[in-house]
Amino acid sequence: MAAEKRPASNAFGSSQLVVKRQKSNIDLSVGNAVAVSNPNAAGGAIVQAVPRTSGLQAPIMELTVLWRTYGQCDNFGVLTGHRGAILDLQWSRDSRVLFSASADRTVASWDLESGLRIRRHEGHDEVINCLDVSKRGEELLVSGSDDGYICIWDPRQKRSIDEISTDFPITSIALAEAGNELYSGGIDNDIKVWDMRKQSVVYSMSGHTDTVTSLQPSPDAQTLLSYSHDGTARTWDVRPFAPVDRQIKSYVGAPTGLERNLVRASWNSKGDKLAAGSGDGTAVIWDAQSAKLLYKLPGHRGTVNDVRFAPGNEPISKRKKSKCNMWWLTALVVSGSSDRNLILGELGS
């Protein structure tokens, strides 16, 4: 296999830190209440509360790995079978199957109706850090591992159907919308764009100064979002015949923190907002066009590892504000943290 490998730790997550913060005395029921997120840190921000407009029973709910979004957010299913930390999850196209990547060096596929594991996919020699699913054509999986290999999987088969060898551990991966290109990031700080047919690098994008932990194409497939241990999220022009310098914007305000987890970043469905986790325990949201920091949402007691917007236009609600004849729109966002909690909340505009 690859010459350089990072051995998997036998005590994954045992060194994680939990940051304690003083409980706030702010009355969040007041419409103009504000919350100060990590005021002693350079990236601290004041976040203003907005009126609640969605159908949730509370503005913020802690969810405790399948939950219902509305009502009491009750847990209705637990999928067991991995023998190590689960580092990435992806839905199948029909949302009937969930794929997982684990530190136990396997990818697994799960039937969400029965809760049973369909198949255990074996092929990597080290921790599997990332996973993605093809959007068109035959449904395929791609995974990246500390063993320096990118494996390509047919979900119907146990073993990988192909492998791409690289020089460094792979910490982030994404497939282009058309399926003809693959994006990978690793500890060499560069983003590589691969031709899936030739299995060779078409071009590389440099700019990050530390490990790239997250990659996600935009909804229109013209821009790639990345996040790195250098504490920045960046966008890149991945259109054919783009300029040599493909970096578009850099987004600051989401420091990595001491844990240096594989923090993920994501787009909303319209492609006009970005979100990322942060080592200071906040979920960070930016305006994609201006790179302005819109929200720095507190609530977690450890590193926020991932932040996701509700898919499509659901669940979103709107309510007329009678006195000034205005409409409030609400989008939902969920964040997951090393504190073992998920927080589901609302964004207002």
Side-chain angles (χ1 to χ4, degrees):
M1 301 296 275
E4 294 195 32
K5 296 182 179 179
R6 272 189 316 190
S9 171
N10 292 326
F12 186 89
S14 61
S15 62
Q16 290 181 341
L17 304 176
V18 177
V19 180
K20 293 185 178 180
R21 293 183 296 178
Q22 185 176 359
K23 184 177 179 180
S24 171
N25 293 321
I26 296 173
D27 182 7
L28 293 179
S29 64
V30 180
N32 59 356
V34 296
V36 180
S37 166
N38 199 9
N40 296 323
I46 295 178
V47 183
Q48 184 169 1
V50 296
R52 246 191 347 114
T53 58
S54 76
L56 295 175
Q57 290 192 356
I60 295 177
M61 295 186 178
E62 291 195 6
L63 315 178
T64 58
V65 87
L66 297 175
W67 296 270
R68 303 190 191 281
T69 306
Y70 292 100
Q72 297 298 322
C73 292
D74 55 309
N75 176 277
F76 67 89
V78 178
L79 309 177
T80 60
H82 279 300
R83 297 190 296 271
I86 297 171
L87 300 179
D88 207 353
L89 293 170
Q90 297 289 340
W91 295 95
S92 65
R93 293 182 199 167
D94 60 8
S95 298
R96 295 180 178 179
V97 176
L98 188 67
F99 302 108
S100 57
S102 173
D104 66 7
R105 300 177 293 180
T106 67
V107 172
S109 51
W110 309 84
D111 184 297
L112 294 180
E113 186 173 344
S114 66
L116 300 177
R117 185 173 63 191
I118 301 171
R119 196 164 285 107
R120 190 166 176 255
H121 308 276
E122 300 176 334
H124 283 294
D125 291 337
E126 295 293 345
V127 172
I128 303 176
N129 297 309
C130 46
L131 183 68
D132 200 12
V133 182
S134 60
K135 284 81 175 175
R136 297 185 188 177
E138 183 181 2
E139 189 168 56
L140 297 174
L141 310 177
V142 292
S143 59
S145 168
D146 280 355
D147 61 17
Y149 275 76
I150 298 170
C151 284
I152 304 170
W153 313 82
D154 182 335
R156 298 167 297 183
Q157 299 182 28
K158 182 176 182 179
R159 306 292 299 185
S160 61
I161 60 175
D162 213 341
E163 297 176 346
I164 301 175
S165 175
T166 73
D167 296 327
F168 299 96
I170 302 297
T171 52
S172 54
I173 202 166
L175 278 165
E177 177 73 22
N180 59 321
E181 289 183 334
L182 171 72
Y183 311 110
S184 70
I187 65 171
D188 61 346
N189 310 340
D190 291 340
I191 300 169
K192 294 180 174 61
V193 182
W194 299 80
D195 184 310
M196 287 289 287
R197 291 168 295 182
K198 298 179 180 179
Q199 296 190 2
S200 61
V201 176
V202 182
Y203 59 89
S204 296
M205 297 182 289
S206 300
H208 283 299
T209 58
D210 209 334
T211 300
V212 179
T213 65
S214 180
L215 295 170
Q216 189 180 76
S218 61
D220 63 7
Q222 296 186 8
T223 308
L224 182 69
L225 170 64
S226 64
Y227 180 84
S228 163
H229 278 165
D230 63 17
T232 66
R234 304 184 188 219
T235 49
W236 311 82
D237 189 341
V238 291
R239 295 174 298 175
F241 312 111
V244 176
D245 183 5
R246 291 174 176 263
Q247 182 173 318
I248 302 172
K249 289 188 180 296
S250 180
Y251 306 80
V252 297
T256 299
L258 297 176
E259 295 178 61
R260 293 178 65 81
N261 290 354
L262 297 180
V263 174
R264 312 295 190 187
S266 63
W267 299 86
N268 71 342
S269 60
K270 294 181 179 180
D272 60 357
K273 289 184 178 63
L274 312 176
S278 176
D280 63 7
T282 63
V284 185
I285 298 173
W286 298 273
D287 178 85
Q289 186 65 30
S290 67
K292 179 182 177 181
L293 194 154
L294 300 177
Y295 298 91
K296 200 166 172 65
L297 305 173
H300 285 292
R301 298 180 299 277
T303 295
V304 177
N305 298 312
D306 204 348
V307 184
R308 299 285 163 163
F309 295 93
N313 292 322
E314 291 293 337
I316 293 179
S317 64
K318 59 183 180 179
R319 175 173 62 89
K320 191 173 182 179
K321 197 172 181 181
S322 56
K323 290 185 179 180
C324 52
N325 198 31
M326 292 175 60
W327 289 93
W328 283 88
L329 300 179
T330 297
L332 301 185
V333 63
V334 63
S335 58
S337 167
S338 297
D339 64 9
R340 300 184 180 183
N341 285 318
L342 298 178
I343 294 181
L344 179 65
E346 301 174 357
L347 298 180
S349 63

